[in-house]
Amino acid sequence: MNIALRYAARSDVGLVRSNNQDSGYAGPHLLVVADGMGGHAGGDVASSIAIAALAPLDGESHGPDDALAELERSIDHARQDLVDRSVTDPELVGMGTTVTAILRAGNKLAMAHLGDSRAYLLRDGELTQVTTDHTFVQHLVDTGRISPDEAETHPQRNVVMRVLGDFDIDLTPDMSVREAKPGDRWLLCSDGLSGFVSPETIAQTLTDTPDVDACADHLLQLALRAGSTDNVTVVVADIVDLDVLPDGTAPGTGAQIVGSAAIDRDAPTSAADGPAARAAALMASANAPAATEEPATDGAPEPAEGGATPGDVAEDGDDDVRPGRAPRRWITVVAILLVVAGLGVAGWAGYRWTQTQYYVGVADGQVAVFRGIPENAGPVTLSTPIELTGTRVADLPGYVVDRLETTIPAESLEDARARAERLVAEAADESTDAPATDDTTEAPTEGAAETPEAGAPDVTPAPTDGAGSGA
């Protein structure tokens, strides 16, 4: 059996962020998603460095027996590159990135995972989350303090406890080996997708969209239409048997690099029309600097009214005294009025949509529930505190304050109230040190065992060299 990958990679800056800190890679032997930490200095640099360190693995030089060791060694090289870059550029100190990578060697897939990006496997119509999130909320699930359903909307669901960073502590990634089975479809994605689109919708899209390019595009647009506040990166790959493919249908072998590691890393969002996209466009246009009108002179005399330039003559030598076409000023006026009216309607629709949104933040030094979104459209503030909880922010742990200052989105007013109450209650119960947020990472407790992944098929435990690692 001659196994190959048919793949597609997509990345989008999203509706809120000013730059794309995600990076993705898809090639005939290697699939990678790296999500640079949004609050860290140089998250885009970190994810790009990770891709640069892993990309040389995309070749035939490794076999099934050594693929896992080579993948782990390349990730360690990426960590050292991050350390070296921070030494030469102190402004980047504190950068970090998630890494979820699959290296194909024959009919085996070596996998490495750090952070909260995810790998999903669709096999025989059933979707399985193969990776385990290295987050505070996943720790609460593993220890039985909350249910998986509660984890989906937990206010600390983005608190990452283990990433690839520029610190000297070597955080061992989860390493495993799996079978490459024809008919399987793999999805690697950043939390810009998994945090905003339900597993059921992801599974349905992967099942109903056979073409990998169309599937990746569809998943990207689903995240953007859901109002994803993060960068969005997806890699979709099918396992195919070359021996049974019709002639001329073999997959391509060119590498696809997307996100901050790509040449077009500054590309604007590809969000299709929708409420979230229209609101984002409204805020972008309101905050854009006004264009400066420049004179159009290049030394030539300015045209006279009617389009003729003084001194122009006809070909027969006589002065050209034919009247020029009268300018249709009324068309210009009507066009301007239509544009202004359209902008007014779009602006009002965008504002109305923002007032159906809710989040938890800080007002008057207290935990508060807000209506709207935490943005300004020029002089207009798009959110208002509508309920104060009475809990003083100064009495809360630092990591809770950090989350409140970056705001906690909610699906409704009731959801916002519940999140605020739960946040205060858990902060009061939490007696241990605060975990790292997206702005800081912390190493796992020495001696702590990794939680094995549940439900991942065809898992062969990886050699650990004396150190435990999750499957």
Side-chain angles (χ1 to χ4, degrees), residues 76-135:
D76 186 63
H77 289 164
R79 182 188 64 82
Q80 188 58 53
D81 290 343
L82 291 174
V83 173
D84 294 342
R85 182 62 181 273
S86 293
V87 171
T88 58
D89 192 347
E91 291 184 357
L92 297 178
V93 171
M95 62 179 170
T97 182
T98 70
V99 175
T100 300
I102 293 178
L103 176 62
R104 183 183 71 82
N107 64 344
K108 298 295 183 181
L109 302 176
M111 175 177 285
H113 171 66
L114 271 170
D116 64 347
S117 296
R118 291 182 178 179
Y120 292 92
L121 171 62
L122 182 70
R123 172 174 290 180
D124 299 327
E126 182 178 351
L127 185 68
T128 302
Q129 181 183 332
V130 175
T131 53
T132 300
D133 295 344
H134 296 144
T135 60

Side-chain angles (χ1 to χ4, degrees), residues 174-425:
D174 292 346
M175 305 295 298
S176 58
V177 177
R178 290 173 170 79
E179 176 189 3
K181 180 179 177 181
D184 285 352
R185 170 165 282 188
W186 286 86
L187 167 66
L188 275 59
C189 65
S190 63
D191 61 347
L193 173 70
S194 59
F196 295 87
V197 180
S198 69
E200 294 77 15
T201 300
I202 292 175
Q204 193 67 41
T205 304
L206 291 172
T207 302
D208 294 346
T209 316
D211 182 74
V212 290
D213 289 286
C215 185
D217 288 333
H218 193 185
L219 289 169
L220 191 71
Q221 290 301 323
L222 284 173
L224 295 174
R225 285 200 294 269
S228 179
T229 57
D230 204 347
N231 309 139
V232 185
T233 300
V234 299
V235 173
V236 179
D238 290 341
I239 308 295
V240 298
D241 184 355
L242 294 176
D243 296 333
V244 301
L245 289 180
D247 292 341
T249 62
T253 58
Q256 298 180 19
I257 304 174
V258 296
S260 63
I263 296 176
D264 60 348
R265 56 185 173 271
D266 295 325
T269 182
S270 62
D273 189 39
R278 287 196 295 268
L282 171 65
M283 289 184 291
S285 61
N287 293 327
T292 302
E293 185 174 342
E294 297 181 358
T297 59
D298 57 359
E302 296 184 2
E305 185 175 352
T309 300
D312 282 354
V313 294
E315 291 182 359
D316 59 3
D318 297 330
D319 289 346
D320 188 358
V321 295
R322 292 170 296 177
R325 180 175 297 177
R328 298 183 178 179
R329 293 186 177 86
W330 65 271
I331 296 179
T332 303
V333 173
V334 171
I336 292 174
L337 291 176
L338 288 175
V339 170
V340 171
L343 290 175
V345 171
W348 175 246
Y351 177 77
R352 289 289 301 275
W353 173 82
T354 66
Q355 299 310 293
T356 66
Q357 308 301 302
Y358 296 89
Y359 67 91
V360 181
V362 178
D364 294 334
Q366 301 180 39
V367 178
V369 173
F370 287 75
R371 175 187 290 113
I373 59 176
E375 300 289 345
N376 295 328
V380 179
T381 300
L382 299 179
S383 65
T384 306
I386 58 175
E387 292 183 8
L388 300 178
T389 64
T391 300
R392 294 182 56 81
V393 174
D395 298 332
L396 298 177
Y399 78 96
V400 175
V401 176
D402 291 341
R403 287 290 297 140
L404 287 170
E405 289 179 347
T406 57
T407 73
I408 302 170
E411 297 177 357
S412 64
L413 176 58
E414 292 73 17
D415 184 36
R417 289 168 175 163
R419 289 170 184 255
E421 293 174 359
R422 189 162 58 241
L423 176 71
V424 173

